[in-house]
Structure formats: structure tokens, C-alpha cells
Amino acid sequence: MPNEKNKHKVAIYGAGAIGGHLGAMMSKAGFDVSLIARGDHLKAIHQKGLKLITQDQEFVTHPRVTDDPSTLEPQDYVVISLKSYQAPGVVEQMQPLLGPKTTVATAMNGIPWWYFYKLRGKWENHRISSVDPDGTQWEGIGAERAIGCITYVASEVTEPGIVKTASPSYQYQIGEPDGSKSERCKQFQAMVTAAGIHCDIRPDIRRDIWIKVMGNVAYNPTSALTTAHTGAMLDDPSMEQVLRKLMAEVLAVGKALGANPEDRIDARLNTTRQRAASHKTSMLQDLERGRPMEIMPIVGATAELAKLVNINTPTIDTVLALVKLRAKMTGQLPSIGKN
């Protein structure tokens, strides 16, 4: 089906651990996919292609890759897989990719900038300053273009041009802010599925966002503070209790905002033990490589929304203060929007 697969143009903005995995899978499946990358990673993909190493295969693909979006035409789908703090800083450069019918899938950690778009009630269209402080994404991308995109893929860039994935399987959850099962979601689901990634269209994507954030808030900052992978933290009874408190506070915030995430703490911990016990979180990977850490869009945004709905989050607040200072002392606390 080469013609059908080339029917829709897809650009992946950020070809790192998640974007690189998706780009390699879609390229291998024959889709018209372009990657926006930079630096040594860009150079390596240009010269040697993009290598993906999984548990059961290893292959090299040669997708279109550039650091200049203006060399591409407007896309049907733009998947943003940057660090959340980087996203505001690339909105201007992204404009050539955005046509009147472009769909933007936000495949990033933390609370998405569009979270309150079409959320009925007193907070509808509320802006989250920890994620989009100047409204750059809301105004420059347009909330009407956005769909939610949650990824469960344990990957890392092991060296320029090479992405390694530890997950035995890959799962995406996508959804419209208003809960509808739109044609654009159905088409994106079909493409991702054809690339070999399980993809569900979710009727309440905000509920799923909170379940993902529950794990992000628990594992990411604590791994940066302890330098432990997830399994090591779960093997420590005292540390497991800290993780449980963090997860419970995240769920309380989500419920106060009307998302109704289920109390799935035990299930999440058990899944981690079974599938990702040796996985280093993205924040720990960034710490070890001297890169800025994705603190505010994950932990900071949760603390911000807790204050919005008057929920006490003492464990989150404590961990946020500790990990922010930890990052500040090593120059790894980014300003939102700076690459």
C-alpha cells in the first residue's frame, strides 16, 4: 500500500528517544515521514541513517531529516516529541509545517498546554504557566489543532543516530480534547498501528494523561535525586512509600479537576516491576548526560494545578523543591522555551 501510506505527510518534531522510535517505525513501514533533528544526531542520521534497536530486531531507515522546517511543506500531522520545556521555543520555526488542516499530536511528558481547551466548567481555556508561560503554544499552534498523545515506550538515544528501545511492546493513547472519535484521530491511529505500534483512541484522554503523569511525577524526579532506576527504588520499602504518596497526590489533583483517574497505584507499581524495572527514566538520563531536566512541565505543572483546585500536595512540593535545586546546582534547570 505505498500510495495509501504516502497519502498523509507526517513530521516528527524532535527525533530523540520517542520521536526517533516513531520515525524509524513509520519510515520502515513506508510512510511519508520527515524528522526535525539537530546537532550530532542530525548529522549521524544524514550520514548513516537512523538505527533502531529493539528487543527482537535491529534495522536502519533513511527518513527525510532536517533542522530547518521551512524546507518542508505544510503537513497533515505534526508529532511534537521534544522535551516539554523546549516546545514554546520552537513554535515560530514550526510555522511552515502548519497548514489549515494540520493536526498536532503532543507526544510529550507532563500536563499538555492545551489541557483546558474545551474542558467545560469554570477553568475552560485556562492557561498553565509552568508549561506555556506566555501562551506561545496556545496562540502559535492553536488549541484547535491539538490532540492528546500519550506514549508508553521505554527508549533512549544511546549515541547519535541510534535509538534503543527496552519495551517488549509499544503503546500509544490518543484522543480529542472534547472526547469525540474524530476522523483525524482514526487516521492517525491507523498509521501508527500500521507502523507496528498499538494505538488506542481514548474517550477521556485527560484521565489517561493523569495516569501517565502519576508515573512521571513519582519516578522522574526521585530517580534524579537518588540516581536509581525504577526497579531499585521499588526494591526499597521506604522509597516505595514515597512513590505511593506522590502518586496519591497526583490522583487527587486529577480528580479535583474532574478527570476521574482510577486509583491504580498498585497496578502501576506492578507494571513497572514486570516491564521496566531496569529502565532509567528520561530525567535520570538527562541528569547523567548533563542535559536540562524536564522538571516544571511534569512536577511544576502538577503543583501549579494543585493550587488551582486547593489540593494539598506536601510530598510533591518537597520533591519539586529538592529536584529544582539539584538541577540548579549543576546548571540543568531550563528556562521554559529555551533549547
Side-chain angles (χ1 to χ4, degrees), residues 134-327:
D134 300 317
T136 303
Q137 295 175 90
W138 192 292
E139 301 297 335
I141 295 174
E144 72 282 355
R145 284 194 174 99
I147 61 171
C149 182
I150 301 165
T151 65
Y152 289 96
V153 182
S155 290
E156 64 177 310
V157 178
T158 55
E159 61 182 89
I162 300 177
V163 175
K164 186 174 182 179
T165 303
S167 304
S169 60
Y170 325 119
Q171 181 181 2
Y172 277 37
Q173 296 170 337
I174 63 173
E176 291 282 357
D178 66 1
S180 63
K181 195 168 184 178
S182 64
E183 286 302 315
R184 64 181 184 174
C185 276
K186 290 177 184 177
Q187 182 58 55
F188 188 66
Q189 178 193 38
M191 291 189 294
V192 172
T193 300
I197 300 169
H198 183 80
C199 182
D200 291 322
I201 299 175
R202 309 292 286 183
D204 185 1
I205 194 66
R206 292 181 182 85
R207 168 190 172 277
D208 300 296
I209 286 169
W210 283 108
I211 292 172
K212 177 68 182 288
V213 169
M214 178 181 76
N216 288 154
V217 169
Y219 295 130
N220 274 275
T222 52
S223 68
L225 291 169
T226 63
T227 68
H229 55 66
T230 51
M233 290 193 288
L234 288 172
D235 286 341
D236 185 297
S238 297
M239 193 65 218
E240 181 182 337
Q241 291 308 308
V242 174
L243 298 175
R244 286 180 176 276
K245 288 179 181 178
L246 288 166
M247 289 183 177
E249 290 178 8
V250 170
L251 292 179
V253 177
K255 289 175 182 177
L257 285 166
N260 194 31
E262 297 173 12
D263 186 354
R264 299 179 57 187
I265 294 175
D266 286 334
R268 185 60 190 271
L269 295 175
N270 289 335
T271 298
T272 302
R273 286 189 177 96
Q274 294 166 8
R275 298 183 183 177
S278 62
H279 177 60
K280 289 184 178 181
T281 70
S282 58
M283 202 176 288
L284 178 55
Q285 292 176 38
D286 289 340
L287 173 73
E288 293 180 341
R289 292 169 182 167
R291 299 185 302 218
M293 291 189 283
E294 204 171 18
I295 295 170
M296 293 309 294
I298 296 175
V299 194
T302 305
E304 177 185 337
L305 295 185
K307 292 180 175 61
L308 180 70
V309 292
N310 296 314
I311 296 293
N312 291 324
T313 53
T315 316
I316 290 174
D317 296 344
T318 300
V319 168
L320 176 60
L322 290 170
V323 77
K324 280 178 65 178
L325 185 57
R326 175 70 176 84

